[in-house]
Amino acid sequence: MQKEIKIVEKEGIKVTSPVVIEGFPDIGLVGVIAVSHIVDQLGLNEVAYIESPSFPPVMVLHKGILTEPVRIFGNEKVLLVTSEIAIPPNVIYDLVRALADWFKEKRAKLVISLTGIPVQDRMEIDNPMVFGIGNNDDALNIIKKNKIEIMEEGFIAGIYALLLKECSRRNIPAIAILAQSFLNYPDPGAAASAISSVNKILNMNIDVKPLIERSDEIRIKARDLMRQTQGAMGAMKKPLETQIPMMYH
Amino acid sequence: MSDWIDEILEEFEALMSPSWDATEKCLVPLVNIEDRNNEIVVMVDLPFVERKEDIDLSVTEDRLEIIARMKEGIKWERWGTCQKQLEFKTFRKSIRLPEKVDPEGAKATFRNGILKVLLPKVRKRYTIKIL
């Protein structure tokens, strides 16, 4: 049964073929940290929020103001989707379909998912590498043109995996950027690597230095979301991402 | 059997309990435990901890205890109600290990705020020669 997902737009939202950047809680909270930093750097406002009876009964307070935990920020050219709570695995399919429909309605020209890929020796890596996945030829060409290494074989799991598929069904080019990351710890360094790739793809100049400088503070603040996310990752089949698929061709 | 139940209850309690302790004025760090062939690897996220000298580690056959002092106290000015009065200065965690280890063989490294502890298992594995 389809679960009810509502994307509630704030009045006055106007977009023209926007680029969408998505960062939901996942490996190392790479997407959430990266999207929060981009929102902060570009000074973007909330333009919509997402509600569903299948989300936990939670609201967030910021500066005394009641706020939805799953929100969309943006301006005319760019929309950023993120969440302050772990998304329950049983709602992911419907959430992704609702998002992909909304992106189509807004005539999104490109969807970029930011996430992490866990590496065992992350502690020894100073500059995490980034890998790209595209959902069609156009998306793959964007990755190649920007000299981002393509992930050629493997399983992918979670929100970004489904979003690539659902965007593909709606003829929206979509890319996933995966930065080498800690599995269970918030990883601002990996988020910085992911943002550097966004800078290349969108020809932007988002400064990642403050992200590195505030690394300790971010890791402290993100601990509870990381704990929630750890619980959801098993159900999202994230461990599959370390497995080798069987191939016939 | 009771060890197994204790382990599950402890994990459940850790997940449900807050990540801070107002009485001890400490934070509970994020921990990852990996069970490898001959050793247990424990990784601990310790932001705001700068030097290895600020970490106290003690280990028995089945438990690892960590106390780490931060370079500065952490205070959330706008968070919650009573919590905004609190200042946290240390991380503290006691971890039940999934298997018995040899405390004397334990080794630890600390880099960029991540602590890694290698604990050799008591039960060693031996290679069997195939005839």
Side-chain angles (χ1 to χ4, degrees):
Chain A
M1 198 179 79
Q2 181 107 351
K3 292 182 178 68
E4 196 188 339
I5 306 282
K6 245 197 225 169
I7 300 176
V8 183
E9 294 177 17
K10 294 214 161 175
E11 271 180 43
I13 169 173
K14 276 184 194 158
V15 287
T16 317
S17 301
V19 171
V20 178
I21 303 174
E22 165 269 308
F24 279 105
D26 200 339
I27 306 286
L29 297 182
V30 173
V32 176
I33 297 170
V35 163
S36 303
H37 183 69
I38 298 170
V39 167
D40 194 43
Q41 289 286 303
L42 298 180
L44 299 174
N45 291 319
E46 183 185 324
V47 294
Y49 60 85
I50 306 170
E51 60 180 17
S52 167
S54 301
F55 287 166
V58 172
M59 293 293 286
V60 191
L61 286 166
H62 286 301
K63 295 180 183 169
I65 295 168
L66 201 62
T67 309
E68 295 279 343
V70 188
R71 293 189 284 167
I72 302 173
F73 298 82
N75 58 25
E76 204 184 329
K77 301 273 180 205
V78 64
L79 293 169
L80 290 107
V81 191
T82 191
S83 171
E84 293 181 74
I85 52 164
I87 302 295
N90 66 336
V91 79
I92 286 176
Y93 275 97
D94 294 319
L95 172 65
V96 168
R97 283 187 200 119
L99 279 171
D101 285 341
W102 193 72
F103 298 159
K104 186 73 186 172
E105 186 194 309
K106 298 292 166 208
R107 299 181 181 197
K109 62 178 174 194
L110 178 66
V111 174
I112 303 174
S113 292
L114 303 179
T115 186
I117 185 152
V119 281
Q120 218 170 26
D121 59 347
R122 172 68 184 94
M123 199 176 160
E124 319 300 332
I125 298 170
D126 289 324
N127 295 307
M129 276 179 71
V130 161
F131 300 86
I133 301 168
N135 72 343
N136 63 20
D137 286 344
D138 289 347
L140 282 169
N141 283 334
I142 293 170
I143 299 169
K144 281 183 202 158
K145 201 178 97 189
N146 288 286
K147 297 189 169 51
I148 295 165
E149 195 163 325
I150 289 175
M151 181 172 158
E152 292 186 63
E153 307 275 353
F155 289 110
I156 55 170
I159 292 181
Y160 79 94
L162 287 181
L163 196 55
L164 286 168
K165 182 181 86 170
E166 293 299 329
C167 285
S168 179
R169 282 185 172 168
R170 291 160 181 79
N171 292 316
I172 308 169
I175 289 170
I177 299 294
L178 286 72
Q180 289 181 319
S181 161
F182 287 113
L183 169 68
N184 282 335
Y185 312 135
D187 196 334
S193 287
I195 293 174
S196 299
S197 293
V198 172
N199 278 340
K200 283 202 268 182
I201 294 168
L202 301 180
N203 201 17
M204 293 171 95
N205 193 21
I206 293 157
D207 188 6
V208 294
K209 216 172 136 199
L211 195 58
I212 303 298
E213 285 167 355
R214 291 179 51 231
S215 174
D216 279 343
E217 186 192 328
I218 294 165
R219 282 160 63 199
I220 285 270
K221 284 184 174 167
R223 288 171 339 121
D224 285 330
L225 179 56
M226 191 74 252
R227 289 199 326 159
Q228 287 177 35
T229 307
Q230 283 170 9
M233 283 197 295
M236 276 192 228
K237 300 288 175 209
K238 295 303 281 187
L240 262 181
E241 291 191 331
T242 58
Q243 295 181 17
I244 303 165
M246 189 178 86
M247 285 159 289
Y248 284 110
H249 57 90
Chain B
M1 184 62 135
S2 67
D3 277 0
W4 173 73
I5 292 170
D6 284 351
E7 218 170 283
I8 289 176
L9 286 175
E10 202 165 311
E11 272 176 33
F12 182 73
E13 197 183 301
L15 206 65
M16 298 308 287
S17 60
S19 58
W20 47 276
D21 183 330
T23 323
E24 299 278 343
K25 292 195 175 159
C26 66
L27 297 175
V28 183
L30 290 170
V31 171
N32 192 47
I33 303 168
E34 207 180 307
D35 193 340
R36 295 190 189 161
N37 273 349
N38 287 325
E39 61 186 4
I40 306 287
V41 182
V42 179
M43 303 253 298
V44 191
D45 190 29
L46 298 171
F48 282 107
V49 177
E50 255 184 357
R51 306 172 315 148
K52 63 180 181 184
E53 292 77 13
D54 293 325
I55 305 169
D56 299 332
L57 279 174
S58 60
V59 62
T60 62
E61 276 192 336
D62 57 4
R63 202 165 265 280
L64 174 69
E65 298 216 4
I66 301 150
I67 299 172
R69 291 167 288 281
M70 298 177 210
K71 65 181 172 191
E72 58 191 82
I74 302 290
K75 220 172 172 178
W76 281 275
E77 304 285 346
R78 295 199 304 253
W79 173 49
T81 50
C82 60
Q83 300 97 317
K84 67 170 89 174
Q85 312 295 334
L86 298 172
E87 187 177 20
F88 299 100
K89 290 180 177 172
T90 56
F91 284 103
R92 194 182 283 254
K93 175 98 177 164
S94 175
I95 303 161
R96 173 194 288 271
L97 300 168
E99 261 190 64
K100 283 199 173 174
V101 298
D102 170 17
E104 287 185 14
K107 284 180 197 155
T109 52
F110 181 65
R111 190 169 190 260
N112 295 333
I114 305 284
L115 174 72
K116 184 179 188 180
V117 188
L118 305 174
L119 302 147
K121 291 181 188 173
V122 170
R123 194 191 63 189
K124 290 265 185 193
R125 282 168 199 263
Y126 297 94
T127 309
I128 301 167
K129 195 175 172 185
I130 302 171
L131 302 171

